[in-house]
Amino acid sequence: MTVAVSNAAFVREHTVLSQTALVPELALHLATEVTPLWQATQDFLEHNSLPPPFWAFAWPGGQALARYLLDQPEVVAGRCVLSFAAGSGIEAIAAAKAGASAVIANEIDAFALSAIELNAAANQVTLTLAPDDLIGSRDPRWQVVIAGDVCYEKPMAERVTAWLRALVAAGVTVLSADPGRTYLPPGLTEVARYDVPTSLELEDRTLRTTAIYRW
């Protein structure tokens, strides 16, 4: 309990409750230009024993997937949703807002889990937190699996691709968002596309075109 409280306090101290341009309906604890995490160096992270704070940013994939779910609520309404590698929790929160019967937010980073819990409370939704590495597993409750942006590195993409294809074969609906990463597998069906405003601190351009794919 002490660790969880400490993590939550760290999230509050190093973020600002903010909205994103693409999904202004949702409020998230995010790093901004006025918070220490915005330009945190590797030395800062190592000194404080912190993993990279991916949870502190609203990445294009998460924003696009959240926008899609809010605009197309029938995709998740009344269904149990697993949000894999949930990060800030933006797409998990969107799924809950869209009427999912239950949303499980999965992250292996303890700070991310605290951020997701705080963000869910800020948006008045209830999520179930799943702290384990779920790749390769299957829960019969999962009807929809959503993944914001998971094909940015080859080893991760290979593991995730095999797992998500197996879930599809078992009858699970799988949706992912991708802003043009190198290791996106072939054979996916694009269902939507968004231009997501971003920052040069996060991406190599200020607008990232991001597609939503159904596996």
Side-chain angles (χ1 to χ4, degrees), residues 76-82 100-104 140-145:
V76 294
R79 307 176 79 186
C80 178
V81 177
L82 170 68
S101 61
V103 181
I104 303 161
R141 293 176 298 170
W142 303 342
Q143 296 171 287
V144 181
V145 173

Side-chain angles (χ1 to χ4, degrees), residues 148-168:
D149 180 359
V150 294
C151 293
Y152 52 88
E153 292 179 342
K154 186 176 181 180
M156 173 70 163
E158 289 176 344
R159 289 187 69 208
V160 168
T161 295
W163 175 51
L164 295 182
R165 290 199 188 284
L167 291 177
V168 171

Side-chain angles (χ1 to χ4, degrees), residues 114-132:
S114 292
I116 291 167
E117 194 166 33
L118 290 171
N119 290 336
N123 291 279
Q124 300 180 320
V125 299
T126 299
L127 306 176
T128 298
L129 302 181
D132 301 318

Side-chain angles (χ1 to χ4, degrees), residues 2-22:
T2 302
V3 173
V5 170
S6 176
N7 290 350
F10 180 90
V11 171
R12 288 194 187 97
E13 180 182 352
H14 290 81
T15 60
V16 174
L17 198 60
S18 313
Q19 287 80 32
T20 67
L22 192 67

